[in-house]
Amino acid sequence: MRSFVKGSRVTVQNVSKQFGDFRAVSGVSFEIAGGEFFSLLGPSGCGKTTLLRIIAGFEDPTSGDVLLDGTSVLSLAPNNRRVNTVFQSYALFPHLSVFENVAFPLRLKKAAPSEIADRVGHYLNLVKLDSHISKMPAQLSGGQKQRVAIARALINEPSVLLLDEPLSALDAKLRQHMLIELDAIHDEVGITFIYVTHDQQEAISVSDRVAVMNDGAVLQVGTPAQVYETPSDRFVATFIGETNLMRGKILFVKDGVAALETGAGTLLAAAKNGAEKGDAAEFTVRPEKVVISTAKPAAGGDKNCVEGTVDEMIYTGFLTKYFVATKSGAVFKAFRQERGAMAGGEHIRCGDAVFLSWHPADAFMVEARKA
């Protein structure tokens, strides 16, 4: 098996990018470990593609620095950075075969024919396209075109591969299949992947870590579990997955747990660092962490409980989403997995009076400010 280039460590230091009066990237800093699968996640226009283009060398930052393995690359042209990019549009040459599209970077370098044949064959085998070697791009599916683009990007053996929304043109089922293949390719080649996407499920499915961006800034960097379970602020909580948000006034903080006075009564949540008695606060709890029942749960200090009425139900196949109007006027979401007849469980209908309960450790404070 070919020995692959080791992935480079990528350091982004206080990078900003201004386009006239518009600031696309604002003081962004983070470090990506060599060989890591790292995703830049955020809504359209948040600056993630601009940041990727700065790392690639297609844009110069207004300020800040980009380093590979501790050395600044700002003075280097894109082709000298050992960084390759896979674009959303594939950017294949329509008049060249699969073989020639992948071979193109090596032909530019005037590599020997035997080396070209060997390396093209190797990378087409890696992306499972060796049986399509003579086909033209027009004869390929969207997923096959994307794999050709990946093989062409890898044939230069870069230490960093940049992927700019590479799956957005594919249908949902093919995206899932390509995600699995991308993850397998990353594990095989061992280089650093930086993946740009606006799709939360894509990012948390394959990434070692995720940077959540909005309005040109990085709001949180962490593992998928960290950004999902312990979001740093309201935007991260609402952007990644579905959630419930409740506001209240902190009555006291003890052992990392805050008691909040809310419209639904006194509720407990994991306290944000620095939160104090009297602060106005907001906390989040994911719908799948909420237990819904027509029976009131046993009293105890280890759970929160809110009463309400089922206002709407959405059956999705593997789970049912319940939208519950609480006595405070807020609508709360609870998800219940459909486990089948053997699992039992009560049948809940629209209009039923229900109780929603969850553990305080599953409620995470995303904001605390002086009232």
Side-chain angles (χ1 to χ4, degrees), residues 201 228 242 288 314-322 335-340:
Q201 288 302 314
Y228 184 82
E242 297 187 58
E288 68 273 12
I314 298 176
Y315 175 73
T316 66
F318 69 96
L319 61 78
T320 299
K321 300 181 178 183
Y322 296 91
F335 295 170
R336 190 172 73 167
Q337 188 173 354
E338 299 300 330
R339 299 180 183 275

Short mmCIF file of all heavy atoms in Angstrom, two decimals, residues 201 228 242 288 314-322 335-340:
data_model
loop_
_atom_site.label_atom_id
_atom_site.label_comp_id
_atom_site.label_asym_id
_atom_site.label_seq_id
_atom_site.Cartn_x
_atom_site.Cartn_y
_atom_site.Cartn_z
N GLN A 201 -26.31 17.78 10.32
CA GLN A 201 -26.17 16.33 10.41
C GLN A 201 -24.88 15.86 9.74
O GLN A 201 -24.22 14.94 10.23
CB GLN A 201 -27.38 15.64 9.78
CG GLN A 201 -28.65 15.76 10.61
CD GLN A 201 -28.49 15.19 12.01
OE1 GLN A 201 -27.95 14.10 12.19
NE2 GLN A 201 -28.92 15.94 13.00
N TYR A 228 -23.35 19.79 20.60
CA TYR A 228 -24.75 19.43 20.66
C TYR A 228 -25.27 19.42 22.10
O TYR A 228 -26.33 19.96 22.39
CB TYR A 228 -24.97 18.05 20.03
CG TYR A 228 -26.42 17.63 19.97
CD1 TYR A 228 -27.25 18.08 18.94
CD2 TYR A 228 -26.97 16.79 20.94
CE1 TYR A 228 -28.59 17.71 18.89
CE2 TYR A 228 -28.31 16.41 20.89
CZ TYR A 228 -29.11 16.88 19.86
OH TYR A 228 -30.43 16.52 19.83
N GLU A 242 -32.83 20.28 16.97
CA GLU A 242 -33.99 20.94 17.54
C GLU A 242 -33.84 21.02 19.05
O GLU A 242 -33.22 20.16 19.66
CB GLU A 242 -35.28 20.20 17.17
CG GLU A 242 -35.56 20.16 15.68
CD GLU A 242 -36.92 19.56 15.36
OE1 GLU A 242 -37.93 20.09 15.86
OE2 GLU A 242 -36.94 18.56 14.62
N GLU A 288 -35.44 15.10 22.71
CA GLU A 288 -35.31 13.66 22.97
C GLU A 288 -34.97 13.36 24.42
O GLU A 288 -35.06 12.21 24.86
CB GLU A 288 -34.26 13.04 22.04
CG GLU A 288 -32.84 13.47 22.30
CD GLU A 288 -32.44 14.75 21.57
OE1 GLU A 288 -33.35 15.42 21.03
OE2 GLU A 288 -31.24 15.05 21.54
N ILE A 314 -46.39 14.97 15.18
CA ILE A 314 -45.84 14.66 13.86
C ILE A 314 -45.18 13.29 13.94
O ILE A 314 -44.22 13.10 14.69
CB ILE A 314 -44.82 15.72 13.40
CG1 ILE A 314 -45.50 17.09 13.27
CG2 ILE A 314 -44.20 15.32 12.06
CD1 ILE A 314 -44.55 18.21 12.91
N TYR A 315 -45.69 12.35 13.16
CA TYR A 315 -45.13 11.00 13.11
C TYR A 315 -44.09 10.95 11.99
O TYR A 315 -44.38 11.27 10.85
CB TYR A 315 -46.24 9.98 12.84
CG TYR A 315 -45.75 8.57 12.64
CD1 TYR A 315 -45.28 7.82 13.72
CD2 TYR A 315 -45.77 7.98 11.37
CE1 TYR A 315 -44.84 6.51 13.54
CE2 TYR A 315 -45.33 6.69 11.18
CZ TYR A 315 -44.87 5.96 12.26
OH TYR A 315 -44.42 4.67 12.07
N THR A 316 -42.85 10.57 12.31
CA THR A 316 -41.77 10.56 11.31
C THR A 316 -41.32 9.15 10.96
O THR A 316 -40.39 8.98 10.17
CB THR A 316 -40.55 11.35 11.82
OG1 THR A 316 -39.98 10.68 12.94
CG2 THR A 316 -40.94 12.78 12.20
N GLY A 317 -41.94 8.15 11.55
CA GLY A 317 -41.53 6.76 11.30
C GLY A 317 -40.84 6.17 12.50
O GLY A 317 -41.40 5.32 13.19
N PHE A 318 -39.62 6.63 12.78
CA PHE A 318 -38.89 6.06 13.92
C PHE A 318 -39.19 6.80 15.21
O PHE A 318 -38.87 6.31 16.30
CB PHE A 318 -37.38 6.04 13.66
CG PHE A 318 -36.73 7.40 13.63
CD1 PHE A 318 -36.12 7.91 14.75
CD2 PHE A 318 -36.75 8.16 12.47
CE1 PHE A 318 -35.52 9.15 14.73
CE2 PHE A 318 -36.15 9.40 12.44
CZ PHE A 318 -35.53 9.91 13.57
N LEU A 319 -39.79 8.00 15.13
CA LEU A 319 -40.18 8.70 16.35
C LEU A 319 -41.40 9.58 16.06
O LEU A 319 -41.74 9.87 14.92
CB LEU A 319 -39.03 9.53 16.93
CG LEU A 319 -38.38 10.66 16.12
CD1 LEU A 319 -39.23 11.93 16.13
CD2 LEU A 319 -37.01 10.99 16.70
N THR A 320 -42.05 9.98 17.16
CA THR A 320 -43.16 10.93 17.08
C THR A 320 -42.75 12.20 17.80
O THR A 320 -42.20 12.15 18.91
CB THR A 320 -44.43 10.36 17.71
OG1 THR A 320 -44.82 9.18 17.00
CG2 THR A 320 -45.57 11.37 17.66
N LYS A 321 -43.00 13.35 17.16
CA LYS A 321 -42.70 14.65 17.76
C LYS A 321 -44.00 15.20 18.35
O LYS A 321 -45.00 15.34 17.65
CB LYS A 321 -42.16 15.61 16.71
CG LYS A 321 -40.87 15.14 16.05
CD LYS A 321 -40.36 16.18 15.04
CE LYS A 321 -39.05 15.73 14.40
NZ LYS A 321 -38.50 16.75 13.48
N TYR A 322 -43.96 15.52 19.63
CA TYR A 322 -45.11 16.09 20.32
C TYR A 322 -44.85 17.58 20.59
O TYR A 322 -43.79 17.94 21.12
CB TYR A 322 -45.35 15.38 21.65
CG TYR A 322 -45.73 13.93 21.51
CD1 TYR A 322 -44.76 12.93 21.51
CD2 TYR A 322 -47.06 13.55 21.37
CE1 TYR A 322 -45.10 11.59 21.38
CE2 TYR A 322 -47.42 12.21 21.24
CZ TYR A 322 -46.43 11.24 21.24
OH TYR A 322 -46.77 9.92 21.10
N PHE A 335 -39.74 14.41 21.97
CA PHE A 335 -39.64 13.36 20.96
C PHE A 335 -39.69 12.01 21.65
O PHE A 335 -38.99 11.77 22.64
CB PHE A 335 -38.33 13.47 20.17
CG PHE A 335 -38.20 14.71 19.35
CD1 PHE A 335 -36.98 15.04 18.76
CD2 PHE A 335 -39.27 15.57 19.14
CE1 PHE A 335 -36.83 16.19 18.00
CE2 PHE A 335 -39.14 16.73 18.38
CZ PHE A 335 -37.92 17.03 17.81
N ARG A 336 -40.52 11.11 21.13
CA ARG A 336 -40.59 9.76 21.69
C ARG A 336 -40.35 8.75 20.59
O ARG A 336 -41.04 8.74 19.57
CB ARG A 336 -41.95 9.52 22.36
CG ARG A 336 -41.98 8.21 23.15
CD ARG A 336 -43.26 8.08 23.96
NE ARG A 336 -44.41 7.79 23.10
CZ ARG A 336 -45.59 7.39 23.55
NH1 ARG A 336 -45.78 7.26 24.86
NH2 ARG A 336 -46.58 7.16 22.73
N GLN A 337 -39.36 7.89 20.78
CA GLN A 337 -39.03 6.88 19.79
C GLN A 337 -40.11 5.81 19.74
O GLN A 337 -40.63 5.38 20.77
CB GLN A 337 -37.67 6.25 20.11
CG GLN A 337 -37.16 5.32 19.03
CD GLN A 337 -35.75 4.85 19.31
OE1 GLN A 337 -35.11 5.30 20.24
NE2 GLN A 337 -35.27 3.93 18.50
N GLU A 338 -40.44 5.39 18.51
CA GLU A 338 -41.42 4.32 18.33
C GLU A 338 -40.69 2.98 18.44
O GLU A 338 -40.01 2.55 17.52
CB GLU A 338 -42.10 4.46 16.96
CG GLU A 338 -42.85 5.77 16.78
CD GLU A 338 -43.97 5.95 17.80
OE1 GLU A 338 -44.54 4.94 18.25
OE2 GLU A 338 -44.27 7.11 18.16
N ARG A 339 -40.84 2.34 19.57
CA ARG A 339 -40.05 1.14 19.87
C ARG A 339 -40.76 -0.15 19.49
O ARG A 339 -40.17 -1.22 19.53
CB ARG A 339 -39.70 1.11 21.36
CG ARG A 339 -38.87 2.29 21.80
CD ARG A 339 -38.54 2.21 23.27
NE ARG A 339 -37.81 3.38 23.72
CZ ARG A 339 -36.51 3.54 23.64
NH1 ARG A 339 -35.78 2.59 23.09
NH2 ARG A 339 -35.93 4.62 24.09
N GLY A 340 -42.04 -0.10 19.15
CA GLY A 340 -42.74 -1.31 18.76
C GLY A 340 -43.64 -1.85 19.85
O GLY A 340 -43.59 -1.42 21.01
#
